[in-house]
Amino acid sequence: MEETPLVKGELVSEQTCVTDKEMIHELQLKGFGEIEKEKLFLKSFESLYLLYSDKLILRKGKKQINFDDLLSVCQKNDPETLTKFLIYRDLKTRGYVVKDGFGFGSDFRVYERGQFGEKGAKFLIFGLNEGQQEKMGTLQKKIEQITQMGKEPVIAVIERRGEVIYYKINRMNFYENKAGLEELSQL
């Protein structure tokens, strides 16, 4: 992985604001952040990743913010912050360009290697922690919406040890059980 020079950012609510024009360009090429009024804003998981990788100096006023500080600030508003960071970090270390998901309960859009800026995202990933419960109907609805967009739905499950395992999903059909329980017990 090519070296990213040290990023200097200011914490604005939960986002990192980068104002250095060269740095903005460098980060954008790698798929980081969103431009707003000539400034680049990094999502919390992007900032956490750069802090974790020792590539970001983050300040709020005169105080320097470290990984743990930012994580605890973000978790107050979004209990899924650590889950998102673990998935994001895993995908980035595998060489993917990862952007924020756009609804449908997806956490991330993931571009095939070398395709960022040329093609749309191929995968939409949503994260679950091991043992977390998800209603089948909700899951089915997410999968249908993602498939209709021409994207591949992927569930990223985070094991208790923090390892991420990916499951690609195709269509799921669940039918209401119209048979009585008595009939089922005879099978």
Side-chain angles (χ1 to χ4, degrees):
M1 193 174 99
E2 58 189 82
E3 264 317 288
T4 302
L6 216 51
V7 179
K8 291 185 173 102
E10 180 75 22
L11 189 63
V12 179
S13 64
E14 287 182 17
Q15 295 191 329
T16 298
C17 176
V18 179
T19 53
D20 178 272
K21 297 230 182 305
E22 275 182 46
M23 188 49 60
I24 289 172
H25 180 68
E26 186 81 27
L27 288 167
Q28 267 195 303
L29 287 175
K30 293 185 175 144
F32 286 97
E34 300 295 330
I35 292 276
E36 204 176 292
K37 296 181 184 149
E38 296 183 22
K39 295 175 183 171
L40 185 76
F41 288 90
L42 301 175
K43 300 280 184 194
S44 57
F45 53 82
E46 293 172 316
S47 303
L48 286 165
Y49 173 75
L50 290 170
L51 283 169
Y52 173 84
S53 308
D54 294 325
K55 304 253 191 259
L56 172 64
I57 297 171
L58 183 59
R59 297 193 177 284
K60 183 165 179 110
K62 296 195 185 302
K63 184 182 189 295
Q64 187 163 337
I65 308 291
N66 66 25
F67 180 90
D68 292 334
D69 296 336
L70 182 59
L71 184 61
S72 64
V73 166
C74 295
Q75 282 183 314
K76 285 183 182 123
N77 294 333
D78 182 5
E80 299 295 313
T81 299
L82 184 58
T83 301
K84 288 178 185 171
F85 162 71
L86 291 170
I87 296 168
Y88 184 80
R89 179 186 71 184
D90 187 71
L91 290 165
K92 289 298 278 181
T93 55
R94 292 172 188 253
Y96 288 100
V97 171
V98 183
K99 300 295 276 179
D100 207 3
F102 40 55
F104 308 113
S106 67
D107 294 321
F108 300 109
R109 292 175 282 157
V110 178
Y111 296 79
E112 279 196 279
R113 290 181 188 93
Q115 300 290 311
F116 178 67
E118 295 172 25
K119 289 186 176 176
K122 181 173 182 177
F123 307 102
L124 284 183
I125 295 186
F126 45 100
L128 291 173
N129 289 304
E130 186 179 344
Q132 182 179 334
Q133 293 190 348
E134 180 81 34
K135 287 192 169 109
M136 274 301 164
T138 310
L139 200 56
Q140 186 178 10
K141 205 173 286 174
K142 285 179 189 178
I143 291 163
E144 280 175 16
Q145 289 172 327
I146 291 169
T147 311
Q148 283 169 358
M149 293 169 56
K151 312 283 182 214
E152 292 185 34
V154 176
I155 296 178
V157 177
I158 294 154
E159 290 189 319
R160 289 173 188 15
R161 299 184 313 270
E163 191 180 327
V164 185
I165 298 170
Y166 299 94
Y167 297 95
K168 223 187 234 188
I169 305 169
N170 297 327
R171 288 212 44 170
M172 294 179 8
N173 290 314
F174 293 99
Y175 301 101
E176 190 178 336
N177 179 10
K178 300 218 187 306
L181 291 176
E182 311 80 45
E183 290 175 42
L184 286 175
S185 62
Q186 295 169 2
L187 296 176

